[in-house]
Amino acid sequence: MRKEPVIAIKNLNHYYGRGSLKRQILFDINLEIYAGEIVIMTGPSGSGKTTLLSLIGGLRSVQEGSLKFLGEELSGASQSKLVKSRRKIGYIFQAHNLLGFLTARQNVQMAVELNQVISQPEAVTKSEAMLGSVGLKERMNYYPDNLSGGQKQRIAIARALVNRPPLVLADEPTAALDKQSGRDVVEIMQRLAKEQGTAILLVTHDNRILDIADRIVEMEDGLLTRDAQNAVIKNDSGVKNHNS
């Protein structure tokens, strides 16, 4: 019997504006994401990807339909309940959003210390272990200005995953990186997701990383136009993706 999904969305609609300016952005979205699953969402700019991501992340309130996170309904949820949900989610953005006056370890440690039951020595240990997992053991005392774009994004990944969240939301995490750095960071995300059982929903325009997905979903004009298992065929010219 399949376990309950981390995210379960049914008949979700969303609107911007009011009165004559009211415009529908999302139309009847249905989506489930399970533990340890990597789902990549693609689609043109303005198709509703970021709006959907912000609803799943508890950054916006659900207007119509059902959105359950870990079995808890977020439709009609209070702000305090949304904040509680956000604390169980890791976020990775195109801009790594590191604090420049903190070292790599301190940036990650700050996320651990949001959990007030963890002592500072334990927070330091967890942060250092996580940075080791993303290949930055030798750089944990460096400041962001002294690190490459790929290394900064690895810190962001470590920060997002250090508390072993059930869900990570990633918005264009490779957009500012070169091909190799982008490949490195998504492979790290893939490995850690499988090790920790974390579900990852990743929004991207980067066709070079589609092969890490278990499923690919496509958005267009506010509609979920495709939700399919990701079948990959590799050939001499690179990697091609076919959705079955």
Side-chain angles (χ1 to χ4, degrees):
M1 187 175 173
R2 199 170 191 189
K3 292 181 180 177
E4 186 176 10
V6 174
I7 289 290
I9 299 172
K10 289 182 180 176
N11 308 121
L12 184 72
N13 295 300
H14 197 76
Y15 306 83
Y16 286 158
R18 291 181 178 179
S20 62
L21 297 176
K22 187 174 180 180
R23 187 162 67 96
Q24 190 163 356
I25 302 297
L26 297 177
F27 298 82
D28 200 30
I29 303 295
N30 292 277
L31 179 67
E32 292 184 345
I33 302 173
Y34 290 84
E37 189 176 36
I38 299 176
V39 177
I40 285 184
M41 186 187 299
T42 65
S45 296
S47 59
K49 302 186 304 297
T50 299
T51 298
L52 181 55
L53 210 66
S54 65
L55 286 163
I56 292 170
L59 302 170
R60 295 181 191 274
S61 296
V62 176
Q63 295 173 345
E64 283 183 11
S66 171
L67 196 165
K68 290 183 179 179
F69 173 49
L70 300 175
E72 291 275 322
E73 180 61 69
L74 297 188
S75 178
S78 64
Q79 282 302 312
S80 61
K81 186 173 180 179
L82 291 177
V83 169
K84 195 175 176 183
S85 291
R86 290 200 291 268
R87 287 179 177 157
K88 297 175 184 173
I89 299 172
Y91 300 89
I92 304 168
F93 301 102
Q94 178 179 339
H96 38 74
N97 297 332
L98 302 179
L99 295 175
F101 57 88
L102 298 180
T103 64
R105 177 180 58 76
Q106 289 167 335
N107 267 284
V108 177
Q109 186 179 329
M110 196 171 65
V112 184
E113 289 173 346
L114 291 173
N115 183 343
Q116 296 174 348
V117 301
I118 292 179
S119 67
Q120 188 180 29
E122 191 180 350
V124 170
T125 301
K126 282 187 74 171
S127 303
E128 290 180 349
M130 198 68 211
L131 284 166
S133 295
V134 300
L136 290 178
K137 186 178 180 182
E138 310 300 323
R139 299 281 190 277
M140 61 180 64
N141 292 316
Y142 282 53
Y143 289 91
D145 282 352
N146 297 319
L147 296 169
S148 69
Q151 288 169 333
K152 290 174 187 175
Q153 200 61 301
R154 289 184 189 207
I155 298 170
I157 292 169
R159 181 180 60 191
L161 285 161
V162 68
N163 291 320
R164 302 180 76 91
L167 176 67
V168 166
L169 301 176
D171 194 0
E172 299 285 1
T174 64
L177 303 178
D178 61 56
K179 181 180 179 181
Q180 189 56 52
S181 297
R183 167 56 53 181
D184 289 346
V185 299
V186 295
E187 285 184 352
I188 289 167
M189 289 168 66
Q190 182 183 38
R191 173 173 56 82
L192 292 173
K194 299 307 179 188
E195 287 175 4
Q196 297 189 5
T198 297
I200 292 183
L201 177 59
L202 191 159
V203 170
T204 189
H205 286 101
D206 189 349
N207 292 331
R208 301 170 302 185
I209 66 169
L210 296 182
D211 58 296
I212 71 148
D214 298 307
R215 278 161 58 213
I216 294 175
V217 300
E218 295 178 11
M219 291 278 293
E220 191 167 348
D221 296 329
L223 294 162
L224 204 58
T225 56
R226 180 177 292 179
D227 181 351
Q229 296 298 312
N230 187 26
V232 179
I233 297 174
K234 295 187 178 181
N235 58 27
D236 293 337
S237 61
V239 177
K240 289 185 178 179
N241 288 73
H242 300 272
N243 295 328
S244 56

